[in-house]
Amino acid sequence: MKVVVTRQIPEVGIELLKQAGFETIVSSKDGVLTQDELKEFVKGADAILSLLTDKIDASVLDSAGPQLKVVANYAVGYDNINIDDCKAKNVIATNTPGVLTETVAEHTIGLLFAVAQNISQADKYTREGKFMGWGPMLFLGTDVRNKTIGIIGLGRIGLEIVKRLKDGFGINFIYYDLKRNEQAEKEFGVQFVSLEDLMKNSDFVSIHVPLTPETKHLIGEKELRLMKKTAYLINTSRGAVIEEAALVKVLQERVIAGAGLDVYENEPKLSEGLAQLDNVVLLPHIASASFDTRSKMSEMAAQNIVAVLGGQAPINPIV
Ligand code: NAD
């Protein structure tokens, strides 16, 4: 059986596929396959190991052929896959939940501190030779302790952030989600609020919902204008949850204090004006990028393929 892997990923997963006896072909292109290249590359595959940068829809599934059984996404988010198309063609889709939770939570916390304390701006300033000695007013930032953090989407990653910060920083956590998590409320003292109240009362808003038709532009100009002038917005989920042009506008107008972004609405393109702002920290979608975690994602995606092609149930089916 033939497995295609759309980009070089940590070797552990590739080895697993080879050991299982599959003909395993890894794309040799140093970058994302174009849609035409992707369609050509998947031809004759029984399984596709896809990345979040691959748009998997009916045309790609058709191009693979009727023998295709599984698309294993190397990500927990699966907004790049048309699940209805997979269902219609009896193709199983899987993802990699859980193995990246702690890394993304740690990364989000790092980004939050970077934004609050001007870390990347100060680093740039120092490298540029502008540091002329200690200054009483140099890069004054915001303390994180005792502040209110609003989590939008208290799922695996959102809750992990709460667990990591709840002791030691005196943070007041509020959250908004489709569903309440009463156990987390009891255990960690997080408080469920409306989206409007979360935007109004948070010193830091951190977004952790998946990108779905319902969450696209969940945070638009109206929601951004509810935020405190001193508040920061952090996004390590998916770019299109925020209306990026509106975010640029409120940042330019100093309606909010700043933002830390790992993801963008039209990646890798940034909205006009975003990169010129001095009150943002911008990262290239690296929240899960640790050696250990990426290896676990590689292994998990491969294990799903091994299971399905071996006639067993997938380990991490999507819905
Ligand atoms: P999860 O499914 O455990 O949590 C998502 C939470 O969002 C759930 O509690 C869910 O109820 C809530 N939610 C869903 N739709 C909602 C809506 N319309 N309104 C309010 N709440 C809603 O997922 P997770 O493992 O915590 O991951 C969250 C997202 O983070 C992923 O979907 C992915 O897109 C993103 N992510 C990004 C990176 C990165 O590299 N930047 C890495 C991993 C995950």
Side-chain angles (χ1 to χ4, degrees):
M1 279 195 264
K2 179 173 157 183
V3 180
V4 294
V5 182
T6 62
R7 198 152 173 191
Q8 185 62 54
I9 57 168
E11 205 51 37
V12 52
I14 312 284
E15 274 309 308
L16 219 147
L17 293 167
K18 287 182 180 164
Q19 276 164 17
F22 306 135
E23 181 195 356
T24 304
I25 301 166
V26 182
S27 167
S28 55
K29 184 175 175 184
D30 183 20
V32 181
L33 296 171
T34 64
Q35 208 59 13
D36 283 342
E37 287 168 341
L38 180 63
K39 283 186 212 161
E40 190 57 34
F41 183 64
V42 301
K43 274 186 180 157
D46 296 280
I48 302 172
L49 198 156
S50 59
L51 308 190
L52 60 89
T53 38
D54 301 318
K55 187 167 172 267
I56 306 288
D57 59 12
S59 70
V60 174
L61 304 176
D62 281 341
S63 188
Q67 75 297 329
L68 180 70
K69 289 179 193 60
V70 55
V71 174
N73 214 34
Y74 175 87
V76 62
Y78 50 85
D79 43 281
N80 59 307
I81 300 180
N82 187 318
I83 299 300
D84 289 339
D85 288 351
C86 288
K87 279 186 190 154
K89 292 177 191 302
N90 275 326
V91 173
I92 292 171
T94 68
N95 65 344
T96 62
V99 286
L100 39 61
T101 300
E102 291 166 290
T103 299
V104 177
E106 287 177 5
H107 193 97
T108 305
I109 293 167
L111 183 55
L112 189 151
F113 275 91
V115 163
Q117 300 173 340
N118 298 308
I119 286 175
S120 65
Q121 295 90 330
D123 172 88
K124 184 165 176 274
Y125 174 92
T126 310
R127 285 169 197 271
E128 286 172 351
K130 294 179 181 162
F131 179 41
M132 296 302 165
W134 181 85
M137 302 302 281
L138 193 58
F139 284 114
L140 302 189
T142 304
D143 292 322
V144 176
R145 65 180 176 278
N146 302 332
K147 293 284 163 55
T148 294
I149 298 183
I151 304 274
I152 300 181
L154 193 74
R156 285 174 293 252
I157 295 168
L159 191 56
E160 192 64 33
I161 292 169
V162 174
K163 288 184 193 167
R164 306 243 149 186
L165 285 182
K166 77 178 173 49
D167 298 321
F169 288 96
I171 306 279
N172 169 40
F173 278 105
I174 56 178
Y175 78 101
Y176 167 74
D177 199 296
L178 272 185
K179 50 184 197 303
R180 279 184 75 159
N181 184 339
E182 282 169 17
Q183 199 195 325
E185 289 176 24
K186 267 194 225 124
E187 202 173 335
F188 304 113
V190 290
Q191 192 196 341
F192 182 80
V193 294
S194 67
L195 181 59
E196 193 179 317
D197 283 346
L198 184 143
M199 299 308 285
K200 277 185 190 160
N201 296 317
S202 299
D203 298 299
F204 298 90
V205 172
S206 193
I207 304 178
H208 302 286
V209 288
L211 176 60
T212 64
E214 292 74 38
T215 61
K216 183 166 184 205
H217 289 182
L218 182 69
I219 306 303
E221 187 165 346
K222 182 173 140 259
E223 289 72 26
L224 292 166
R225 288 193 181 277
L226 294 173
M227 290 175 73
K228 295 182 188 177
K229 203 174 174 336
T230 50
Y232 295 84
L233 182 67
I234 316 292
N235 189 13
T236 61
S237 67
R238 286 288 182 268
V241 175
I242 301 176
E243 201 183 330
E244 202 169 277
L247 177 62
V248 172
K249 193 170 161 208
V250 300
L251 286 164
Q252 282 168 340
E253 293 173 14
R254 307 278 156 168
V255 172
I256 65 172
L261 306 176
D262 183 49
V263 287
Y264 306 90
E265 186 164 356
N266 298 302
E267 281 182 29
K269 211 169 149 263
L270 307 188
S271 286
E272 208 183 312
L274 187 58
Q276 284 68 47
L277 291 165
D278 62 2
N279 49 353
V280 291
V281 174
L282 304 175
L283 302 176
H285 202 151
I286 54 166
S288 71
S290 76
F291 286 112
D292 280 356
T293 290
R294 289 283 168 87
S295 294
K296 285 181 194 153
M297 289 164 67
S298 170
E299 195 173 15
M300 196 174 212
Q303 282 166 340
N304 275 289
I305 292 175
V306 172
V308 175
L309 295 190
Q312 287 161 12
I315 306 158
N316 311 99
I318 294 170
V319 292

